[in-house]
Amino acid sequence: MSNPYREALLWIQQNPGTGSANSMAKLVLSLWNSDCGFSIRECIGNLDGKLTTLALRMVQHFSQHGEDSELVDVGHIICERYPRLWDAGMAMNQARNDLRREWERADEEERERLYPED
């Protein structure tokens, strides 16, 4: 069986600019770097059966092997070819982190209001 990341890269290279290529690129970027994580729905929502099977093979491979050298290599290539996807993923991560910090600040204010220190 060939490496699923390389198969995805080949699909992406052969089908540039298509929704399925973008979806596969999002999945590779998400597996490669969790800070650039897209939802699974964004990654597979528009794939046909064959590409969904490939996407699930990538997820299974990652689950079994973690971040291996093939994922790192393919991740770098996709990051270079799809910088806007990388930027979007990182912006989502930043927005999520900002929101979490705001929640923590609000929770702290609520604790201080409910349990003031004497």
Side-chain angles (χ1 to χ4, degrees):
M1 178 183 290
S2 64
N3 184 281
Y5 308 127
R6 291 284 174 193
E7 285 183 51
L9 178 60
L10 181 61
W11 172 264
I12 292 164
Q13 290 170 329
Q14 291 175 342
N15 299 277
T18 63
S20 57
N22 284 339
S23 293
M24 296 299 277
K26 288 176 183 178
L27 181 56
V28 171
L29 291 173
S30 297
L31 294 172
W32 175 51
N33 187 321
S34 63
D35 288 343
C36 187
F38 291 90
S39 74
I40 192 69
R41 186 177 185 121
E42 279 186 273
C43 296
I44 67 168
N46 67 337
L47 301 180
D48 65 15
K50 180 181 173 187
L51 289 176
T52 298
T53 299
L54 175 55
L56 294 174
R57 282 184 43 229
M58 283 194 291
V59 171
Q60 182 178 27
H61 185 89
F62 181 81
S63 176
Q64 293 172 346
H65 304 284
E67 184 180 271
D68 62 14
S69 62
E70 291 293 326
L71 177 56
V72 171
D73 291 344
V74 171
H76 280 289
I77 292 167
I78 290 176
C79 185
E80 289 174 6
R81 293 188 182 181
Y82 288 83
R84 289 181 175 177
L85 288 182
W86 177 260
D87 290 344
M90 296 305 283
M92 288 185 295
N93 185 57
Q94 183 63 49
R96 186 173 32 248
N97 289 337
D98 290 348
L99 183 59
R100 286 180 182 147
R101 280 190 294 277
E102 177 61 25
W103 289 344
E104 290 169 1
R105 187 197 58 74
D107 290 347
E108 181 61 29
E109 287 177 2
E110 182 69 4
R111 278 190 296 277
E112 289 175 6
R113 186 185 69 75
L114 292 173
Y115 310 106
E117 294 185 35
D118 294 317

